[in-house]
Amino acid sequence: MVRPGMLVFDMDGVLVDVSDSYRETIVQTVKHFTGQTITRELIQQYKNQGGWNNDWALSQQIARDLGTEAGYDAVVEQFNRLWMGHDGVEGLVARERWIGSSELFEKLAAAYRMAIFTGRMHYEVDITLGRFAPAIKFDPIICAEDVTNGKPAPDGLNKIREQNPGLELLYFGDVVDDARSAKAAGVPFVGVTHRDDTADLLRQEGAIAVLKDINQIGTVLA
């Protein structure tokens, strides 16, 4: 068990179930450009390789691997139309589900400083936190536009540490890029996944523990 001064969370797959939001948006974006329907298992296989924290870039690469070259800006535009909604069609963001129990996070907030380091943009974070966790204080919140290099680079965690000198960080993430970012920053890492294959990968990448979901966080905190 560890005694960190600050808990740092990735969002997707850790705080929020994005199976029917971001992952489904990748599926539908790829189908828009290629006409082919991919599985979420295929998306996870890419994620397990590492280097695919950016879902826009991942959607473009999967389309490319299926034989269709789509411009990055066009992919971003289509992805955001699907996720945010358009022309009266509800966005897939509405399908997100908050994972952590309210009681648990109230207790965590009373005992620890809490921060977020995510590959999302700030407007995406604001939508989800505003909907599910408006009363929970995460400070700082480091997003894609706040760093020069995204995960698996350590920039986000380094920035949090620079803003909070003397605090020991503990980072919670669900994919290989999260683990590699933590390793590069010298920050202890806890994996969060219900998948046995991904859990094994996260342990290989240095995870000190792997939780089935974030509600088990008490098992690693002293």
Side-chain angles (χ1 to χ4, degrees), residues 157-214:
L157 291 172
N158 286 340
K159 193 166 188 175
I160 292 172
R161 185 161 45 199
E162 289 166 5
Q163 294 178 13
N164 298 275
L167 281 184
E168 292 294 328
L169 309 184
L170 180 62
Y171 189 41
F172 296 83
D174 69 318
V175 294
V176 166
D177 283 343
D178 296 325
R180 291 176 179 172
S181 178
K183 183 187 295 184
V187 171
F189 174 75
V190 175
V192 184
T193 180
H194 65 276
R195 295 176 57 101
D196 291 340
D197 58 341
T198 304
D200 289 341
L201 286 173
L202 296 180
R203 291 188 185 96
Q204 291 169 23
E205 294 290 340
I208 60 174
V210 178
L211 313 177
K212 290 289 186 183
D213 73 55
I214 199 62

Side-chain angles (χ1 to χ4, degrees), residues 5-7 20 32 52-53 63 73 79 95-96 103 105 109 120 125 140 152 165 181 208 213-214 217:
M6 175 175 281
L7 309 179
D20 293 326
H32 173 82
W52 296 113
N53 191 61
D73 290 345
F79 191 103
R95 301 185 185 181
E96 291 187 334
E103 181 181 1
F105 272 84
R120 290 190 183 204
V125 171
S181 178
I208 60 174
D213 73 55
I214 199 62
I217 192 172

Side-chain angles (χ1 to χ4, degrees), residues 61-105:
Q61 184 62 47
I62 294 176
R64 180 180 295 127
D65 290 344
L66 292 174
T68 299
E69 188 62 44
Y72 184 74
D73 290 345
V75 170
V76 172
E77 181 180 1
Q78 178 62 20
F79 191 103
N80 286 346
R81 278 168 56 86
L82 292 166
W83 193 78
M84 295 286 291
H86 62 95
D87 302 327
V89 178
E90 185 178 59
L92 293 172
V93 61
R95 301 185 185 181
E96 291 187 334
R97 182 178 64 85
W98 188 260
I99 298 171
S101 78
S102 298
E103 181 181 1
L104 170 64
F105 272 84

